[in-house]
Amino acid sequence: FDFVGRKAPRPGAVYRMVWTLFYLPLWLCIAAAGAGMVPLVQHATDDLAPTGAAWLVTGATAGMLLSLSGLVLTMPTHPGIKFTPFTLVFAAALALVVGAMRPMPIVLAACLNVILSLPWLEAFVRHARAGIPLGFQAELHRGVSGGKTVRPGP
């Protein structure tokens, strides 16, 4: 949620509508991933993750990443967010590949943990190189908004 948390979409009814609609699948996927963890824990010592649980968890993770990608596209643009939607889609594809492989449940969970970290790490490195703190709007960081100097509040 570092990409979309406490941030409003671009001005305009279309962006607000899309922003609102992408939150429903995001929350559904988070709930589904949580539900899919129960059978993974129950079968933690198996050689392969149960098919249904593996697809539920990895599909929900991919859906969550795709929903975040859609939400990011509704956010105001700035240099630090340029590649974020693409890295989220790439991570979603990786999650589905892991689901198709059905590794041991602990390996599946570890792989998803790494996959979920990739978009955040990529954005963090890009923001750090640009000197833009992750989670701040670029305009606020630069102190400029529409040609006027803006001083952040306390």
Side-chain angles (χ1 to χ4, degrees), residues 27-38 40 53 56-58 60-61 64 112:
W27 291 115
L28 288 171
C29 290
I30 290 171
M37 290 305 292
V38 174
L40 285 184
L56 178 61
V57 172
T58 56
T61 301
M64 182 194 65
L112 289 178

Side-chain angles (χ1 to χ4, degrees), residues 3 72 78-88 118-134:
F3 300 119
V72 167
H78 60 82
I81 207 162
K82 185 177 181 180
F83 296 112
T84 301
F86 302 111
T87 57
L88 288 166
L118 292 176
W120 189 88
L121 287 171
E122 187 273 329
F124 177 80
V125 168
R126 199 167 7 82
H127 276 79
R129 286 184 180 165
I132 302 170
L134 190 62

Side-chain angles (χ1 to χ4, degrees), residues 62-78:
M64 182 194 65
L65 290 164
L66 292 173
S67 294
L68 281 174
S69 177
L71 285 168
V72 167
L73 290 174
T74 68
M75 299 287 126
T77 59
H78 60 82

